[in-house]
């Protein structure tokens, strides 16, 4: 499955949100890739995520492939929509 | 004595002797036979586990000494050590380049650091240091090294990586100097959190410092004084002492009343942007809110916030200090703050265009919803409604008429609200200052917004550095307008306050009190120092000063006079 996520938290995907995103992605069996501006990376890797330089307002394309794809998509969407718990 | 200029990363002054941090230089063999690949991978996995354990301990220790937030970086490091992308690059080097585990780790870390360094955000560029740090840690572990070091005095280093700083005993280190780094690098953040003066980004000048050199680290201006003379040292020691006294004094002012020597109360309030800021307002020892910017409810939204949503936010602020004055400014959008759901055409001069009250009078449905929400919230506390950018009496009367209409609707619907909510305007357009006497008849209060008042009075864009010399609230025309507004308000028996940057400048405090302002609203951090100034003022005396200052010819004359006056105070 594929979904678009718009990053709304102030800091973008800085260390802490990137870590939360990678940890959440790692809790699923599916392969998860993220794409932004022609670059892509492994969603289970904090380094890949931070390497995309994602800022507030950017939209990520997330491609999920595997047995728990739907759950993974929902969980990542919730994390982003909740702004990673930032104020 | 000679000086090195750097970036002021953490305020304060430290005097001490230089101690360079030992850059661990490790020799290791880079190439191994291809048949060794499985063994090198095993070594890497073992080192990885050891690194995770070290980081675990560092995280706990840092959390205990410096707080959870400072410790978070090690949680991120732990993730990076086991990161699939990092591991993939390391294994690739071992498999395909006959690299030893050490070489593979170092190369992988450098490659990823280079990728971070190429990103266009300063924050991300500095994350390159994180990954290099991890590389160094793994290499050290692979070579069998330990982590403990002891440093005292002024620590000089290329850069202070998180694991370096966590291994430091901060009670022994009195200052930091680094060649690399900026305001948001780890060393700077840590220095600020620990209250250690720091100057960063001095570049190759670092090499000119020798262990044992006496230096003064001035973290206020970002200077390092090397081999200072005795009298310079004495001078700085005195400054350190004064800073300590000042900090102690300001901490003690917190909850004392904001009253002049002759018993006049000057209300000190805070400017806030969201209901969440109320905690800081209370902690700062302020007596209310002099400016609540409501834009946060509207910006970043694709549709107009509902009345209910707004009522809830306004009530949250009012209820946090139910018996204190809370001034809520109606929507100040347009110009450089475009609303997605309104759109609007691009303007050649947004600052002079359809913004604030002008925009609200075009989109009256949006405005009326806000006014209804404000009235409904009024039952929760002491609400004051403030209209921004008023330039004419007509604008004010139309806004007030719409407020009346909103009130009438609520009455008809049987929804409770306070009927005696105070209504005022923000004085930020010179036009309003010029007719302050006329406007004063129609309002309950004025609040002077100096940032825009300066921009419009001096006809100088405050973001344009070429005309920055005009953007100064001590310019005589600005000071005179403030005087006019205060006089008009006093004559009409209305109170006048200020919610611009000038209100939080302690240098301006005697002048503003002298001109007749009775409320100053500022950033929470400025409250203690301004309060301390007020507690040393005599209103009669400030009036004499103000009269004198109104006759001065230039901004620098006014500043100079205020600096002389400031010398009469304790701090």
């Amino acid at each position: 499955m594929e979904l678009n996520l718009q990053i709304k938290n102030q800091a973008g995907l800085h260390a802490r949100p990137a870590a939360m995103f990678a940890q959440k992605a790692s809790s699923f069996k599916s392969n998860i890739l993220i794409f932004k501006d022609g670059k892509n990376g492994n969603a289970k890797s904090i380094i890949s995520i931070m390497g995309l330089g994602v800022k507030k307002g950017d939209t990520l394309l997330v491609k999920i492939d595997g047995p728990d794809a739907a759950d993974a998509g929902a969980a990542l969407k919730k994390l982003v929509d909740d702004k990673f718990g930032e104020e | 004595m000679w000086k090195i200029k750097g970036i002021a990363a953490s305020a304060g002054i430290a005097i001490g002797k230089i101690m360079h941090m030992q850059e661990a230089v490790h020799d290791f063999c880079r190439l191994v036979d291809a048949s060794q690949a499985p063994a090198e991978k095993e070594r890497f996995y073992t080192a990885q586990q050891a690194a995770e354990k070290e980081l675990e301990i560092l995280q706990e220790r840092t959390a205990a000494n410096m707080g959870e937030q400072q410790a978070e970086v090690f949680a991120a490091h732990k993730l990076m050590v086991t990161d699939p992308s990092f591991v993939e690059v390391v294994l690739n080097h071992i498999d395909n380049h006959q690299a030893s585990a050490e070489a593979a780790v170092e190369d992988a870390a450098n490659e990823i650091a280079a990728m971070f360094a190429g990103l266009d955000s300063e924050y991300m560029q500095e994350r390159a240091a994180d990954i290099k740090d991890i590389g160094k840690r793994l290499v050290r572990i692979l070579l069998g090294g330990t982590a403990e070091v002891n440093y005292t005095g002024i620590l000089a280093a290329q850069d202070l990586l998180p694991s370096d700083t966590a291994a430091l005993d901060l009670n022994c280190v009195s200052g930091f100097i680094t060649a690399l780094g900026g305001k948001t690098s780890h060393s700077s953040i840590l220095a600020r959190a620990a209250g250690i003066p720091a100057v960063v980004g001095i570049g190759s000048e670092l090499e000119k410092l020798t262990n044992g050199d006496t230096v003064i680290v001035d973290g206020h201006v970002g200077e390092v004084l090397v081999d200072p003379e005795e009298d310079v040292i004495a001078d700085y020691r005195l400054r350190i002492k004064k800073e300590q006294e000042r900090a102690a004094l300001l901490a003690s002012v917190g909850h004392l009343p904001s009253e002049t020597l002759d018993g006049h109360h000057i209300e000190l309030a805070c400017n806030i942007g969201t209901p969440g800021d109320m905690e800081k307002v209370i902690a700062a020892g302020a007596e209310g809110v002099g400016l609540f910017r409501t834009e946060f409810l509207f910006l970043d939204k694709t549709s107009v916030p509902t009345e209910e949503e707004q009522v809830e936010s306004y009530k949250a602020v009012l209820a946090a200090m139910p018996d204190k004055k809370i001034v809520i400014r109606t929507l100040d959008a347009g110009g450089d703050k475009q609303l997605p759901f309104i759109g609007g055409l691009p303007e050649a001069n947004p600052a002079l265009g359809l913004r604030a009250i002008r925009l609200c009078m075009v989109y009256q449905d949006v405005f009326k919803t806000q006014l209804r929400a404000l009235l409904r919230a009024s039952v929760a506390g002491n609400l004051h409604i403030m209209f921004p950018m008023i330039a004419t009496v007509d604008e004010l009367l139309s806004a007030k008429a719409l407020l009346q209409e909103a009130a009438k609707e609520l009455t008809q619907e049987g929804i409770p609200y306070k009927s005696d909510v105070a209504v005022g305007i923000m004085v930020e357009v010179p036009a309003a200052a010029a007719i302050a006497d006329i406007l004063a008849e129609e309002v309950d209060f004025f609040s002077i917004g100096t940032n825009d008042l300066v921009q419009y009075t001096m006809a100088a864009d405050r973001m344009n550095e070429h005309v920055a010399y005009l953007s100064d609230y001590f310019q005589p025309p600005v000071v005179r307008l403030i005087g006019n507004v205060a006089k008009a308000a006093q004559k009409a028996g209305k109170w006048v306050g200020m919610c611009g940057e000038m209100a939080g400048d302690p240098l301006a405090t005697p002048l503003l009190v002298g001109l007749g302002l009775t409320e100053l609203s500022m950033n929470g951090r400025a409250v203690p120092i301004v309060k301390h100034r007020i507690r040393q003022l005599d209103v009669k005396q400030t009036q004499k000063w103000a009269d004198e200052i109104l006759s001065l010819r230039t901004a620098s004359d006014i500043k100079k006079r205020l600096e002389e006056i400031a010398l009469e105070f304790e701090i």
Side-chain angles (χ1 to χ4, degrees):
Chain A
M1 70 173 283
E2 290 188 11
L3 70 157
N4 282 304
L5 297 178
Q6 198 193 12
I7 302 302
K8 296 164 192 144
N9 60 308
Q10 202 55 45
L13 289 185
H14 271 193
R16 197 184 71 96
M20 291 171 77
F21 197 90
Q23 275 173 322
K24 184 59 82 184
S26 301
S27 67
F28 295 96
K29 288 198 187 73
S30 300
N31 282 323
I32 308 177
L33 291 175
I34 47 177
F35 296 76
K36 192 211 137 210
D37 298 340
K39 292 193 283 186
N40 67 65
N42 181 348
K44 297 180 182 181
S45 159
I46 178 175
I47 289 172
S48 287
I49 297 171
M50 286 174 66
L52 296 178
V54 181
K55 299 193 190 72
K56 183 183 180 192
D58 286 347
T59 299
L60 295 177
L61 171 65
V62 184
K63 288 190 183 172
I64 312 176
D65 184 23
D68 48 9
D71 289 346
L76 292 174
K77 182 170 173 12
K78 182 165 191 314
L79 196 60
V80 169
D81 287 347
D82 290 349
K83 300 184 182 179
F84 299 90
E86 278 178 24
E87 257 277 302
Chain B
M1 180 181 80
W2 49 285
K3 276 185 196 177
I4 299 175
K5 278 300 284 177
I7 298 165
S10 175
I13 296 165
I15 305 174
K17 291 198 188 312
I18 285 285
M19 186 155 179
H20 278 276
M21 196 170 67
Q22 295 297 319
E23 281 280 322
V25 184
H26 295 304
D27 278 330
F28 50 79
C29 101
R30 300 192 65 87
L31 278 176
V32 293
D33 191 79
S35 67
Q36 290 294 308
E40 291 300 316
K41 283 189 204 168
E42 264 321 300
R43 291 184 63 222
F44 169 67
Y45 289 131
T46 311
Q48 205 183 23
Q49 282 172 5
E52 271 192 285
K53 273 200 200 108
E54 276 190 14
L55 288 164
E56 186 93 33
I57 295 166
L58 279 180
Q59 189 185 351
E60 279 169 21
R61 190 199 291 176
T62 309
N65 294 340
M66 313 278 311
E68 290 292 338
Q69 223 181 339
Q70 296 299 320
E72 265 178 21
V73 60
F74 296 109
H77 279 202
K78 260 193 325 193
L79 277 179
M80 287 191 193
V81 167
T82 52
D83 188 277
S85 298
F86 174 60
V87 174
E88 195 185 309
V89 182
V90 172
L91 296 183
N92 179 39
H93 277 282
I94 295 177
D95 277 331
N96 302 324
H97 301 120
Q98 298 179 3
S100 65
E102 291 89 344
V105 162
E106 191 177 78
D107 291 346
N110 284 341
E111 278 169 32
I112 294 168
M115 173 191 77
F116 279 146
L119 293 173
D120 64 354
S121 115
E122 192 192 346
Y123 174 87
M124 285 298 181
Q125 286 161 9
E126 282 171 356
R127 298 291 77 74
D130 287 307
I131 189 73
K132 280 193 181 162
D133 196 18
I134 288 158
K136 283 189 183 166
R137 177 180 302 284
L138 286 166
V139 169
R140 175 178 49 71
I141 292 171
L142 283 164
L143 293 170
T146 54
E148 298 302 320
V149 243
N150 275 314
Y151 292 102
T152 56
I154 310 277
L155 188 61
Q158 276 297 316
D159 195 5
L160 287 169
L161 302 176
S163 47
D164 299 329
T165 49
L168 292 175
D169 181 352
L170 293 172
N171 294 319
C172 300
V173 176
S174 49
F176 289 157
I177 304 172
T178 66
L180 306 174
K183 277 203 168 175
T184 60
S185 54
H186 280 303
S187 36
S188 306
I189 294 168
L190 177 108
R192 285 195 292 271
I196 293 176
V199 173
V200 303
I202 66 165
S204 58
E205 297 283 309
L206 183 85
E207 291 155 26
K208 297 186 188 159
L209 298 172
T210 319
N211 278 345
D213 281 353
T214 297
V215 295
I216 298 171
V217 177
D218 186 341
H220 296 294
V221 295
E223 261 179 9
V224 179
L225 308 179
V226 190
D227 286 334
E229 286 86 23
E230 276 307 316
D231 57 327
V232 179
I233 295 181
D235 189 35
Y236 273 87
R237 281 202 205 288
L238 196 68
R239 281 177 57 183
I240 294 175
K241 193 163 157 256
K242 277 194 183 151
E243 274 177 19
Q244 286 165 345
E245 286 168 3
R246 177 191 157 105
L249 192 62
L250 291 183
S252 72
V253 179
H255 293 277
L256 295 174
S258 169
E259 239 176 52
T260 60
L261 292 173
D262 48 344
H264 291 268
H265 179 219
I266 308 292
E267 244 178 295
L268 293 189
C270 284
N271 299 340
I272 65 167
T274 69
D277 295 337
M278 287 307 286
E279 255 175 64
K280 286 183 218 154
V281 177
I282 295 164
E287 303 165 75
V289 171
L291 170 64
F292 174 23
R293 305 180 181 94
T294 52
E295 288 76 64
F296 85 101
L297 281 164
F298 296 83
L299 301 171
D300 292 335
K301 291 280 164 68
T302 45
S303 58
V304 185
T306 63
E307 190 172 310
E308 298 303 325
E309 223 176 297
Q310 294 188 51
V311 172
E312 206 180 299
S313 289
Y314 305 149
K315 268 191 177 167
V317 171
L318 288 160
M321 287 181 128
D323 55 341
K324 300 290 189 214
K325 208 157 75 187
I326 306 287
V327 180
I328 303 186
R329 179 177 72 185
T330 60
L331 183 59
D332 183 6
D336 53 352
K337 291 175 278 185
Q338 286 297 335
L339 295 179
F341 49 86
I342 282 181
L345 297 167
E347 297 177 303
N349 282 311
L352 305 181
L354 188 63
R355 52 167 293 205
I357 198 72
R358 306 169 181 183
L359 183 79
C360 283
M361 292 317 293
V362 173
Y363 296 92
Q364 290 200 11
D365 46 341
V366 176
F367 192 29
K368 195 155 83 181
T369 305
Q370 182 175 39
L371 295 175
R372 281 177 56 110
L374 283 166
L375 286 173
R376 286 176 56 186
S378 68
V379 294
N382 183 6
L383 172 66
H384 285 53
I385 295 176
M386 175 161 76
F387 299 124
M389 278 286 282
I390 296 286
T392 68
V393 180
D394 290 334
E395 281 174 339
L396 173 58
L397 293 179
S398 331
K400 281 174 69 178
L402 204 64
L403 183 65
Q404 279 306 316
E405 215 177 291
K408 216 158 116 194
E409 284 177 13
L410 292 178
T411 309
Q412 279 162 2
E413 294 163 32
I415 300 173
Y417 65 93
K418 274 192 188 166
S419 55
D420 57 348
V421 172
V423 175
I425 64 167
M426 196 148 157
V427 178
E428 51 190 334
V429 184
I435 55 163
D437 55 330
I438 303 171
L439 292 166
E441 292 165 11
E442 294 292 337
V443 297
D444 297 308
F445 67 94
F446 286 142
S447 183
I448 301 170
T450 44
N451 303 355
D452 270 334
L453 186 62
V454 170
Q455 158 160 297
Y456 293 133
T457 304
M458 304 309 296
D461 181 348
R462 60 173 182 255
M463 305 305 282
N464 185 338
E465 55 178 298
H466 301 295
V467 293
Y469 68 98
L470 293 166
S471 290
D472 183 346
Y473 43 65
F474 289 127
Q475 285 285 357
V478 177
V479 172
R480 288 188 179 195
L481 284 182
I482 295 169
N484 275 354
V485 175
K487 207 180 275 173
Q490 278 171 332
K491 208 165 168 195
K494 311 292 166 71
W495 65 265
V496 57
M498 177 177 280
C499 56
E501 234 172 272
M502 189 182 194
D505 181 351
L507 199 58
T509 311
L511 171 63
L512 299 177
V513 171
L515 289 174
L517 277 68
T518 56
E519 183 243 31
L520 300 172
S521 186
M522 62 201 73
N523 185 310
R525 277 193 306 274
V527 171
I529 175 85
V530 172
K531 191 189 280 186
H532 188 63
R533 279 283 153 91
I534 286 169
R535 291 176 55 82
Q536 299 174 73
L537 293 176
D538 174 281
V539 171
K540 283 251 158 54
Q541 177 63 54
T542 62
Q543 285 164 350
K544 280 183 204 144
W545 285 329
D547 282 342
E548 183 198 332
I549 287 167
L550 282 171
S551 69
L552 294 178
R553 291 151 49 111
T554 68
S556 49
D557 286 348
I558 291 180
K559 224 177 291 177
K560 208 173 110 209
R561 183 67 189 114
L562 286 169
E563 276 160 3
E564 282 166 19
I565 291 169
L567 290 178
E568 301 193 11
F569 303 118
E570 191 177 8
I571 53 169

